[in-house]
Amino acid sequence: MEIKLSPLTPVHVWSGDVLVVGYDIVVKDGDACIVDVNQLPTEVIEKVADDLAPLDRYADKVKCSRVLKLRSDLSSKLVYDISPWYVPASTLKGYIRTALLYKWLGERQDAMRLIEQAVKQDRRPIGSLLEDRLMRMRSPRVDVMQSLRIWETKAKAETAIVDIHVKRLPSLSSVAKVSAVALVGGELRYGIELTPFRPKVRGQTEELANAIKLLEKLPHLGVDHIREALRQFGCRLLENEIEQAKRHKKLAPYVEALEKWRSKYCKADEACVIARMGRMTGIYSKTVISIIREKMPDVYEMLLEKHFHKRHDFNTLKLVEIDGRQLGVGWCEICLT
């Protein structure tokens, strides 16, 4: 089995490294050159050491370890670098985990009771407590996600430095701007393997039989389950973003794009689904808080006050400019084959 991921808008998963414009990055022939510091000419090293001059003065003499398309004015001076695998398998698996939790929580008749129990526990994150109830068992120690293995296989990626603008709603005024290396085109491929539970249980046959009965109560994974969970979660993210984008008329082109994606990807028989991953994609894409908002509005408001002090995440959009349109960052297509 295989997963294919293609970006619909720029996707940025931070590597942990920050590039400095003028030193790590110089502009050559209209593109961004990531300087290969291991191949700097001696004369350039000496001049930089003497007067701390930026390397962009010697752009014609430096070699590039990477050449990126430039969709930024580089005015921020700092650029967040992308993960070496663009969207790592661990990031994809984490997103799938959140989607499955969203789906299973939505199917539980006792969902509100589970949420209330999680909210009352102050010592651990709510998401972890819900995962314990729906995805894990302590004896024998089993996590349903142990059945799912994902690994990177092949990447044909196009990257560029883009500016991500944080805009406040409803005024659409600028709050901040972040420059980052993002995946803007191409396709990433991953291997995916589903294996049955093999609990390590010592003791009598009766003990093993009881353990298996307990395991049967855990949700079972399958490609169809994963695809449906991703579809439900991705379409919920679309609905949330449409609601936000409609708050300003200048975002009409973005609303049009979102509604077009909804028409395409939210059909039950569609093989591919929409997802939103990476940095600056908001709390909705990383948690199941949207289902709490849907089922328990009072608890949702309490959570905003208690756990999400930075409420600006719910009153801002993170946008990139593409062909004159402002579109949200992090949208991508996922196909399971």
Side-chain angles (χ1 to χ4, degrees):
M1 291 183 286
E2 185 178 56
I3 293 178
K4 299 178 183 179
L5 186 152
S6 304
L8 299 172
T9 63
V11 178
H12 171 67
V13 177
W14 188 31
S15 68
D17 295 328
V18 179
L19 305 172
V20 180
V21 177
Y23 291 93
D24 299 303
I25 301 173
V26 298
V27 179
K28 297 183 70 171
D29 301 321
D31 292 324
C33 164
I34 310 301
V35 177
D36 188 341
V37 295
N38 295 317
Q39 297 193 56
L40 284 176
T42 302
E43 60 179 300
V44 173
I45 295 175
E46 291 174 349
K47 289 179 180 179
V48 171
D50 288 340
D51 56 13
L52 298 179
L55 285 173
D56 54 7
R57 293 186 184 182
Y58 314 103
D60 59 328
K61 296 182 180 180
V62 303
K63 293 186 177 181
C64 310
S65 60
R66 285 179 287 160
V67 177
L68 308 173
K69 295 178 181 177
L70 193 54
R71 300 182 184 177
S72 165
D73 59 11
L74 298 180
S75 60
S76 63
K77 303 302 181 183
L78 297 177
V79 176
Y80 292 88
D81 204 359
I82 197 169
S83 170
W85 185 261
Y86 314 106
V87 180
S90 57
T91 299
L92 178 58
K93 185 173 180 178
Y95 181 85
I96 291 174
R97 187 185 194 96
T98 302
L100 287 167
L101 183 61
Y102 175 88
K103 179 179 184 293
W104 292 334
L105 193 60
E107 294 172 347
R108 290 283 294 253
Q109 296 294 325
D110 59 346
M112 288 189 288
R113 180 177 60 82
L114 291 174
I115 292 169
E116 283 181 331
Q117 289 176 350
V119 169
K120 291 177 181 178
Q121 298 287 337
D122 292 331
R123 292 170 294 177
R124 295 179 56 198
I126 295 170
S128 297
L129 289 163
L130 291 174
E131 286 181 12
D132 277 350
R133 298 301 301 272
L134 295 175
M135 307 178 84
R136 299 188 185 110
M137 189 169 65
R138 293 183 179 179
S139 180
R141 192 173 182 84
V142 172
D143 186 315
V144 69
M145 294 300 287
Q146 291 173 352
S147 295
L148 177 64
R149 190 167 74 92
I150 300 176
W151 64 96
E152 302 98 351
T153 59
K154 186 178 179 181
K156 185 179 180 181
E158 298 175 21
T159 53
I161 297 178
V162 302
D163 289 331
I164 304 172
H165 300 269
V166 182
K167 298 292 184 75
R168 181 180 288 110
L169 293 171
S171 64
L172 210 63
S173 57
S174 180
V175 176
K177 182 179 75 170
V178 174
S179 298
V181 181
L183 178 71
V184 297
E187 181 182 82
L188 307 180
R189 296 192 178 197
Y190 307 82
I192 176 173
E193 182 179 63
L194 292 165
T195 56
F197 289 121
R198 293 187 176 91
K200 295 180 180 179
V201 181
R202 297 179 180 179
Q204 302 296 322
T205 304
E206 183 179 355
E207 182 181 356
L208 178 59
N210 290 335
I212 292 174
K213 288 180 181 180
L214 289 172
L215 287 172
E216 288 174 350
K217 295 181 180 180
L218 286 176
H220 291 284
L221 285 180
V223 172
D224 291 338
H225 293 85
I226 294 172
R227 183 186 292 109
E228 179 60 18
L230 288 170
R231 185 190 68 79
Q232 289 184 19
F233 189 55
C235 292
R236 178 71 261 179
L237 296 180
L238 280 175
E239 295 296 339
N240 293 338
E241 193 77 351
I242 289 172
E243 179 185 342
Q244 289 283 73
K246 281 185 174 180
R247 294 170 66 184
H248 201 289
K249 61 182 180 181
K250 286 187 178 180
L251 294 176
Y254 185 29
V255 174
E256 182 181 351
L258 291 168
E259 291 178 338
K260 181 179 179 181
W261 293 335
R262 180 174 61 183
S263 298
K264 177 179 180 180
Y265 294 111
C266 295
K267 297 177 181 177
D269 58 348
E270 176 61 35
C272 299
V273 298
I274 194 166
R276 197 177 194 190
M277 283 185 285
R279 198 162 183 238
M280 299 185 73
T281 53
I283 199 72
Y284 284 122
S285 68
K286 297 176 175 66
T287 69
V288 294
I289 194 169
S290 55
I291 202 167
I292 297 176
R293 177 189 180 190
E294 177 185 330
K295 290 182 175 292
M296 304 177 71
D298 294 340
V299 173
Y300 169 79
E301 289 297 327
M302 184 273 290
L303 286 175
L304 293 191
E305 295 293 341
K306 187 176 181 180
H307 296 280
F308 303 111
H309 306 296
K310 298 180 179 178
R311 292 180 65 110
H312 66 260
D313 196 41
F314 300 88
N315 294 305
T316 58
L317 290 177
K318 289 75 177 179
L319 306 170
V320 290
E321 189 166 319
I322 303 174
D323 299 328
R325 298 181 300 167
Q326 297 185 79
L327 304 177
V329 69
W331 293 106
C332 53
E333 176 188 87
I334 293 177
C335 301
L336 287 82
T337 60

